[in-house]
């Protein structure tokens, strides 16, 4: 079974731009979660989508948004980029029931200049 | 609120030594789930183990073992006869009942020196 895939793997943007990251979950998984990893804050939860609906949301500003498609693929968007948005963005997929194991993709490393 | 503490920021050992990574958690739920993940330099989080709060049996998988103790709210991870390939950052994580997101500890960077 193929694992979680994320594209692109690396991105360089400048302040004020916007960016869209993509995640394809493991086949059969209906839940996709996004996490931001920075050296200072560690791994922080952004949001979770299940069956095309946002089910959980972390404590991030409205510049961070996401969506999920009918095939469970998910995208996250960050508008008006700030230097502090530079991070590794990790996507995880799971079956979507309570306590399920989340399997992570390789991440997208975003650098904001 | 749920919280995971990994007090050891960095550990360095010589190859073949045993090493234990500590994890202490806080939760008010009686049903919860604990996880360990490994993050090699490539960046991907690799799943190692999942435990639910009702299963306190210790687990062994090859050179890896886990000690879950509800009495001390700890879920420690031991690598026996460490190898250079074990060098990575290890994260302990917790989720509560009801499809809650994972809450991670800050991670422990393990360096195994040949």
């Amino acid at each position: 079974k193929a694992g979680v895939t994320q594209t692109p793997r690396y991105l360089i943007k400048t302040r004020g731009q916007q960016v869209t990251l993509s995640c394809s979950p493991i086949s059969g998984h209906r839940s996709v979660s996004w996490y931001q990893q920075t050296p200072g804050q560690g791994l922080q939860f952004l949001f979770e989508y299940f069956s095309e609906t946002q089910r959980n949301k972390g404590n991030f500003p409205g510049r961070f948004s996401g969506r999920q498609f009918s095939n469970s693929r998910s995208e996250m968007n960050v508008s008006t980029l700030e230097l502090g948005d530079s991070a590794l963005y990790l996507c995880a997929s799971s079956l979507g029931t309570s306590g399920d194991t989340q399997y992570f993709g390789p991440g997208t490393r975003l650098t904001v200049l | 609120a749920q919280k995971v503490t990994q007090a050891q920021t960095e550990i360095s050992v010589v190859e073949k030594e045993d090493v234990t990574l500590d994890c202490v958690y806080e939760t008010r739920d009686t049903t919860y789930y604990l996880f360990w993940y490994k993050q090699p330099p490539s960046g991907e989080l690799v799943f190692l183990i999942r435990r639910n709060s009702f299963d306190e049996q210790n687990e062994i998988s090859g050179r890896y073992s886990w000690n879950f103790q509800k009495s001390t709210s700890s879920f420690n991870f031991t690598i026996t006869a460490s190898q250079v390939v074990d060098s990575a950052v290890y994260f302990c994580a917790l989720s509560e009942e009801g499809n809650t997101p994972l809450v991670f500890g800050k991670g422990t960077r393990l360096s195994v020196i040949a």
Side-chain angles (χ1 to χ4, degrees), chain B residues 5-13 18-24 35-39 48 64-68 74-80 82 86-92 107-112:
Chain B
T5 301
Q6 295 180 255
Q8 306 149 308
T9 306
E10 292 191 37
I11 300 176
S12 186
V13 298
D18 298 348
V19 58
T20 296
L21 309 183
D22 297 333
C23 172
V24 174
F35 303 82
W36 276 94
Y37 288 87
K38 173 183 180 180
Q39 188 175 43
L48 295 177
Y64 295 173
S65 62
W66 290 269
N67 183 355
F68 176 27
S74 65
F75 186 41
N76 297 337
F77 172 33
T78 297
I79 301 175
T80 303
S82 59
D86 297 327
S87 298
V89 181
Y90 291 86
F91 291 93
C92 181
T108 297
R109 181 177 299 277
L110 174 65
S111 297
V112 181

Side-chain angles (χ1 to χ4, degrees), chain A residues 50-108:
Chain A
F50 179 79
S51 292
E52 301 180 64
T53 301
Q54 188 179 87
R55 185 160 68 174
N56 283 302
K57 187 177 188 311
N59 188 24
F60 278 81
R63 299 185 297 107
F64 292 82
S65 63
R67 59 178 174 168
Q68 187 179 35
F69 302 95
S70 58
N71 61 359
S72 293
R73 190 177 69 85
S74 176
E75 289 181 346
M76 69 163 279
N77 185 76
V78 188
S79 63
T80 319
L81 284 166
E82 300 177 359
L83 295 179
D85 297 334
S86 294
L88 179 66
Y89 290 88
L90 290 160
C91 162
S93 80
S94 72
L95 291 170
T97 50
S98 183
D100 277 343
T101 298
Q102 293 187 25
Y103 295 92
F104 285 79
T108 294

